[in-house]
Amino acid sequence: ASDLQLRGVSTFMAEMIEASAILRTATKNSLVIIDELGRGTSTYDGFGLAWAISEYIAKHTKSFCMFATHFHELTALSNTVPCVVNRHVTALATKEAVTMLYTVNPGPCNKSFGINIAKLAGFPDDVIETAKRKVEELEGFCSSDMESSKKPRTAMANSIDRITAFANMSESEIGNLETLKCKIGSLMAY
């Protein structure tokens, strides 16, 4: 996609218009090629749109589709939609170079090479180190390890359970002041 700024069409809007045309006109006999959809908006919006579009193509349009993406999380679609198959192009990264091997292998790519490429492009070392640190922070924030994500999810689940229990109180429980105080107290505990 490219922009048409004089007409008020941003690159992202052009990308969405093109994606909309694909969703409205592609058939099971179409070959759909989508490259890096969702870059022009927030990470979460971009991922949500990329997921929804690829899922729609796989489940409804049933076109043969090659979908190149920077959203590693999108590869999980193959766990819920049987016709989705992940492939990746192999690369070899060293401190001095990133060499594309031009072989297509099964499964998702297990590494991103953005910081390697930035270093090769001559970014200052401070920028590279900050980028690495931010990636580690985000991966820690989004990971599924016990310390970083299960506690917040467990706390949220506990809060939802408490609110649900409060909402489902019977009239007799609401009429009993001690029961009501106990239920309200449990809501305030978190």
Side-chain angles (χ1 to χ4, degrees):
S2 61
D3 62 30
L4 300 166
Q5 289 298 320
L6 294 176
R7 294 186 184 164
V9 178
S10 68
T11 305
F12 181 68
M13 182 60 166
E15 183 179 273
M16 291 297 98
I17 291 168
E18 290 171 4
S20 177
I22 290 168
L23 294 175
R24 288 182 288 107
T25 61
T27 70
K28 66 180 181 175
N29 297 318
S30 299
L31 169 61
V32 177
I33 300 173
I34 298 177
D35 183 27
E36 299 292 354
L37 184 92
R39 292 173 298 162
T41 187
S42 76
T43 300
Y44 297 130
D45 278 359
F47 170 72
L49 288 164
W51 182 286
I53 290 166
S54 56
E55 183 178 60
Y56 184 87
I57 291 169
K59 286 183 172 181
H60 301 286
T61 307
K62 298 183 180 174
S63 306
F64 183 81
C65 179
M66 291 189 295
F67 198 115
T69 183
H70 59 288
F71 295 117
H72 292 269
E73 300 83 359
L74 191 58
T75 62
L77 187 61
S78 67
N79 297 332
T80 59
V81 181
C83 66
V84 173
V85 177
N86 292 310
R87 298 279 187 261
H88 69 277
V89 177
T90 306
L92 176 64
T94 65
K95 289 184 179 183
E96 297 79 36
V98 175
T99 304
M100 299 307 290
L101 301 178
Y102 299 103
T103 59
V104 177
N105 292 314
C109 185
N110 63 359
K111 180 172 177 16
S112 178
F113 299 101
I115 293 176
N116 300 74
I117 300 297
K119 186 171 183 168
L120 294 174
F123 279 42
D125 290 341
D126 289 356
V127 173
I128 297 297
E129 291 309 312
T130 300
K132 286 178 182 177
R133 190 172 63 252
K134 286 297 176 185
V135 166
E136 288 173 8
E137 287 174 17
L138 287 171
E139 287 175 345
F141 178 75
C142 296
S143 73
S144 60
D145 67 56
M146 294 294 285
E147 295 306 311
S148 65
S149 68
K150 292 220 176 184
K151 285 182 182 177
R153 287 187 187 144
T154 302
M156 178 63 82
N158 290 341
S159 295
I160 292 169
D161 290 344
R162 289 178 185 148
I163 292 167
T164 302
F166 183 73
N168 291 329
M169 287 177 64
S170 67
E171 274 187 52
S172 62
E173 288 176 309
I174 292 170
N176 181 329
L177 188 57
E178 288 306 311
T179 302
L180 188 58
K181 283 181 184 178
C182 181
K183 293 286 185 182
I184 292 172
S186 74
L187 285 174
M188 305 306 257
Y190 185 74

